[in-house]
Amino acid sequence: MHPFTFSTAKTVVFGAGSIAQIGDIVRDQLGARVILVTDRGIVDAKLHEGALASLAAAGIAVTIFDGVMADPPEKVVLAAAEQARREGVQGVIGFGGGSSMDVAKLVALLARGEEELSSIYGVGQVRGPRLPLMLVPTTAGTGSEVTPISIVTTGEAEKKGVVSPVLLPDIALLDPELTYALPHHVTAATGIDAMVHAIEAYTSASANNNPVSRLLAKEALRLLGGDIRSAVREGTHVEARANMLLGAMFAGQAFANSPVAAVHALAYPVGGHYHVPHGLSNALVLPHVLRFNAETCGRAYAEIAPCAFPWLAEVPVARRAEAFVEALTHLCEEVGLAQRLRDVGIPREDLARLAHDAMKQTRLLVNNPRPLSEADALSIYEAAW
């Protein structure tokens, strides 16, 4: 067995109603004055009110930054960090989906005023330290609450990552009740996103692909594959929502240490140029990337297929990878996701630009189990169109 490193959040608090504990946890571990980083949709839906009540009861002063948007641009990160500095906060809470949590990670770092955002893109560029950090997911998908990664939109459409163990939070607080009100299409897209995390972590070409990540990936697929349909159909299904949130966290822990690859690399330009939600972007290219990779890692796909779809255990190993791809395609259709790039308004003449931009995601492409050229990317986009 080769050497590996596995890192995750220092503390995970999980359970229905656990948001009621946030005041006591913050008082003990973050400080008496914090910034809550979220988006306008959370505030308008009053999803954060339980957290605010608990924080107030614990005597915590809270300043709210609600300017996060999907695929957050640099200006949002910088504005949130400036507010944190201006208010003199002692700790940071990221409350929402992946974008809010990603911004919160960088706020915790930049609020100290010792590092510049422009200098920390890439892997291992962060020096630290940062402010104490808590992350509270309200979707079951990104796994950002347990990853050392923050994704930022730079320029018009390009996405760049900041990757460093310094970004791992002190506390991840997961309350399934916060996901009950998610619209069915968001539940579907974020759930598929989490499944992609598990699949790519299991098959990653990273030198740090490790048995802990692979174990977590398989359990994540069992939970997610088993309950995504129920969560989409019935938003308040208690067990399904809990399993989705736990599965997404397991997938996040898996890919945080055995990084994702070409599915994400090809999804990023789709989201960047056309503002397609990240989970849906992944779903649109997923089967086509898996078919491309199956030449190299078909046996690995055969190993994990029965975790998500138990009936595939009866399919002969030689045919199971393709059956896995077909089952994933059917699942995406079953939960109501668009099936083709053209269904989300992408013209065929733009595919070459998407392929060109996907090649910029070198941080991800190095982890793909099969080398992928720009011509390969174009072929995959054409198959997805």
Side-chain angles (χ1 to χ4, degrees):
M1 184 180 299
H2 65 264
F4 67 91
T5 300
F6 187 90
S7 302
T8 191
K10 294 177 183 176
T11 301
V12 173
V13 177
F14 182 94
S18 58
I19 196 65
Q21 304 175 41
I22 192 170
D24 291 338
I25 296 172
V26 167
R27 183 185 57 219
D28 293 342
Q29 299 193 46
L30 266 70
R33 188 170 188 84
V34 300
I35 185 170
L36 189 143
V37 178
T38 190
D39 64 72
R40 194 68 224 172
I42 294 285
V43 173
D44 289 345
K46 301 181 179 179
L47 194 58
H48 65 321
E49 288 195 341
L52 293 181
S54 177
L55 291 164
I60 308 299
V62 182
T63 180
I64 298 174
F65 178 87
D66 62 3
V68 177
M69 60 188 72
D71 304 315
E74 290 178 309
K75 65 180 181 181
V76 168
V77 175
L78 297 175
E82 173 56 30
Q83 182 173 325
R85 283 193 295 268
R86 187 172 63 248
E87 297 292 335
V89 303
Q90 298 169 305
V92 179
I93 302 171
F95 190 100
S99 294
S100 291
M101 291 188 286
D102 280 7
V103 172
K105 294 174 188 178
L106 294 175
V107 170
L109 180 70
L110 300 175
R112 294 179 62 94
E114 298 175 10
E115 295 182 71
E116 297 290 335
L117 179 57
S118 59
S119 68
I120 59 175
Y121 290 121
V123 179
Q125 302 302 308
V126 174
R127 299 189 308 274
R130 57 156 174 77
L131 296 178
L133 174 65
M134 170 187 279
L135 298 176
V136 184
T138 60
T139 64
T142 68
S144 182
E145 68 274 9
V146 289
T147 72
I149 305 162
S150 182
I151 304 297
V152 180
T153 301
T154 60
E156 183 180 343
E158 185 179 355
K159 291 186 179 184
K160 290 184 179 180
V162 179
V163 185
S164 169
V166 175
L167 299 185
L168 284 167
D170 300 291
I171 311 110
L173 191 153
L174 294 86
D175 184 343
E177 292 182 358
L178 295 175
T179 68
Y180 287 177
L182 277 177
H184 66 86
H185 67 281
V186 177
T187 300
T190 54
I192 295 297
D193 184 26
M195 294 181 76
V196 173
H197 292 156
I199 294 166
E200 292 209 290
Y202 192 88
T203 58
S204 178
S206 167
N208 202 57
N209 188 328
N210 63 87
V212 181
S213 285
R214 293 193 294 274
L215 185 68
L216 287 165
K218 294 174 82 170
E219 180 63 8
L221 287 172
R222 187 186 71 81
L223 292 168
L224 296 163
D227 276 298
I228 187 171
R229 299 170 189 83
S230 297
V232 169
R233 285 195 305 264
E234 183 185 345
T236 56
H237 191 298
V238 176
E239 183 178 1
R241 286 297 195 185
N243 285 344
M244 291 295 291
L245 193 60
L246 189 60
M249 186 193 74
F250 286 162
Q253 290 174 315
F255 91 83
N257 295 277
S258 181
V260 293
V263 176
H264 278 72
L266 271 66
Y268 279 154
V270 173
H273 287 293
Y274 293 96
H275 306 292
V276 177
H278 174 65
L280 177 54
S281 298
N282 274 334
L284 289 166
V285 300
L286 172 63
H288 312 287
V289 174
L290 295 194
R291 285 194 174 99
F292 174 83
N293 284 342
E295 180 180 304
T296 301
C297 59
R299 181 166 292 275
Y301 292 151
E303 290 170 0
I304 60 177
C307 300
F309 308 106
W311 62 89
L312 293 183
E314 304 301 319
V315 176
V317 171
R319 299 207 312 267
R320 199 181 297 161
E322 178 57 28
F324 182 44
V325 175
E326 292 173 358
L328 286 165
T329 301
H330 179 70
L331 176 62
C332 291
E333 184 177 9
E334 188 179 354
V335 297
L337 296 180
Q339 297 295 294
R340 293 284 174 182
L341 293 175
R342 59 178 174 266
D343 297 337
V344 295
I346 298 177
R348 187 163 196 163
E349 56 267 26
D350 278 10
L351 299 185
R353 178 174 68 159
L354 294 179
H356 175 76
D357 286 355
M359 292 298 100
K360 298 176 183 177
Q361 298 296 329
T362 54
R363 174 181 67 87
L364 305 175
L365 291 173
V366 295
N367 303 314
N368 203 56
R370 181 182 174 190
L372 187 144
S373 67
E374 187 169 333
D376 294 326
L378 180 57
S379 295
I380 290 169
Y381 283 131
E382 288 174 338
W385 193 81

